[in-house]
Amino acid sequence: MSGRVLVGVKRVIDYAVKIRVKPDNSGIVTDGVKHSMNPFCEIAIEEAVKLKEKKLIKEVVAVSCGPQQSQETIRTALAMGADRGIHVEVTGKDYEALGPLQVSKIMAALAKKEDAQLIILGKQAIDDDCNQTGQMTAALLDWPQGTFASEVALEGDKVKVVREIDGGLETIKINTPAVVTADLRLNTPRYATLPNIMKAKKKKIANMKPADLGVDLTSRLEVLRVDEPPQRQAGVKVETGGGPGGQTEGGRDDIEASGARRGAQNYADGTL
Amino acid sequence: MLGWSEGGQRRGDVSLTYHRLNIPSTTRLVRVKGHLVSDMANPLRGEVIRLYKNLLYLGREYPQGSAYFRERLKSAFMKNKDVTDPEKIKKLVARGDFVIKELEALYFLRKYRAMKKRYYEPEK
């Protein structure tokens, strides 16, 4: 086994930023907006680095697909402990159309090229919430997958993954090479402090284009329109429990409705 | 003030500085803002500067804004600028390191709670 782990990291708009839809409803405003690494990708990197610290794997390679600025995200990954980075340059219209299908093709090609033993990805990105890249990558490579991992243990040439599923936890054992996607409770990502960032400057980031990997970036999807979620309505009184008036977590029937409204509220004002 | 040379010197004149300052040639001299300064005066200078830079970097993500953070960071450091006792300085630096850990924990919790709220069912 090569002992090499590929970790995909995505540059997304920072989780704490208030999202604004462009006036022409063609997309969201990204110019001048703070970007950072997708939180689930941070968890993926942390897991890979932990495996290396336990000496269960030899090398952590951070991969990001996107424009020049994606290199900042790779630098953060290097500061967290990755050994080297690969920046697959995708710009302009190609970048706008970049989705799980294209990224999974790139990851699959890289996995073969780098002889990876394990691919760890975040379970989903907080901007598109697709939750598809890991699954597609595994399918393209015909590798087993352990998704929504809240625990990962390498046991010889197999991986034991505890998965968070509806209604509880599922433990599976899969052969390597495999794809694992990280869920929230997998670990606590370390902060990329300034001294670590400085040390990481010595680490290498390789540059390549999707064409170098023989990947076709054509998208099968076309974004027609982007809208803000409906404005939050005034508080809902529910049958049971909760405080006086306002948004409450009351009876079971209303949990889904208030959950959707809460989600819209979170999205609309971008706050906790 | 111990260790300040007269005006800015050219790089080749370090040996002259030892002679002029009448200090043993084994004393470490560092260049600070163009002046050669004896490192004996404040050996913890590097530590303090490192701490300041690290805190400043962390402050970029402060919830109430990096400008707000930088103001308070600067006044906190300026308040202690006349401290010379190395033991006291070490204690203050340790406190600063503790603040770094607290900030990291704050940032993690904030992010974790946001993700939990957005992606998971509320617990019963």
Side-chain angles (χ1 to χ4, degrees), chain B residues 43-52 54-55 77 80 83 85-101:
Chain B
L44 290 167
R45 177 185 208 93
E47 284 287 301
V48 174
I49 292 176
R50 172 196 62 85
L51 179 68
Y52 188 84
N54 288 347
L55 278 165
F77 269 66
N80 294 313
V83 175
D85 176 17
E87 280 311 306
K88 285 217 186 88
I89 294 177
K90 280 200 189 111
K91 276 217 182 82
L92 289 169
V93 169
R95 203 198 316 162
D97 282 329
F98 179 72
V99 170
I100 287 179
K101 291 264 170 301

Side-chain angles (χ1 to χ4, degrees), chain A residues 232-255 257-258 261:
Chain A
R232 183 189 176 182
Q233 276 122 44
V236 166
K237 256 207 176 116
V238 292
E239 297 286 299
T240 55
Q247 193 79 6
T248 64
E249 303 192 71
R252 271 240 63 114
D253 294 340
D254 247 294
I255 285 272
S258 56
R261 218 166 282 124

Side-chain angles (χ1 to χ4, degrees), chain A residues 48-66:
Chain A
V49 173
K50 272 204 166 85
L51 287 174
K52 195 181 84 157
E53 286 171 349
K54 287 187 210 159
K55 298 213 180 9
L56 294 169
I57 54 136
K58 295 201 197 92
E59 193 186 27
V60 178
V61 183
V63 180
S64 195
C65 307

Side-chain angles (χ1 to χ4, degrees), chain B residues 2-17:
Chain B
L2 181 74
W4 287 100
S5 68
E6 297 145 15
Q9 288 179 276
R10 294 195 312 277
R11 284 190 180 274
D13 293 341
V14 176
S15 50
L16 277 176
T17 309

Side-chain angles (χ1 to χ4, degrees), chain A residues 118 134 138-139 141-146 172-180:
Chain A
L118 198 59
L141 289 164
D142 198 21
W143 286 6
Q145 55 188 261
I172 60 172
K173 207 174 215 176
I174 53 180
N175 294 327
T176 51
V179 176
V180 170

Side-chain angles (χ1 to χ4, degrees), chain A residues 15 42 129 183 191 197 272, chain B residues 57 61 111 114 118-120:
Chain A
Y15 82 98
E42 287 177 352
D129 286 319
D183 209 324
Y191 197 84
I197 299 253
L272 291 173
Chain B
Y57 184 79
E61 241 186 278
K111 192 178 287 193
R118 287 181 204 174
Y119 288 104
Y120 299 88

Side-chain angles (χ1 to χ4, degrees), chain A residues 4-10 45 59-68 70-75 77-78 82-90 106-107 109-116 203-210 212-213:
Chain A
R4 189 169 295 125
V5 176
L6 238 56
V7 182
V9 294
K10 186 178 181 187
I45 284 279
E59 193 186 27
V60 178
V61 183
V63 180
S64 195
C65 307
Q68 201 54 21
S70 293
Q71 295 207 5
E72 290 162 21
T73 314
I74 301 179
R75 289 252 168 254
L78 295 172
D83 297 295
R84 60 184 165 92
I86 299 177
H87 173 216
V88 181
E89 204 171 336
V90 181
I106 293 173
M107 290 302 295
L110 278 172
K112 291 201 190 111
K113 183 169 185 279
E114 299 282 335
D115 187 27
K203 301 183 186 175
K204 297 227 182 319
I205 299 180
N207 249 300
M208 54 182 78
K209 299 238 164 47
D212 301 338
L213 299 164

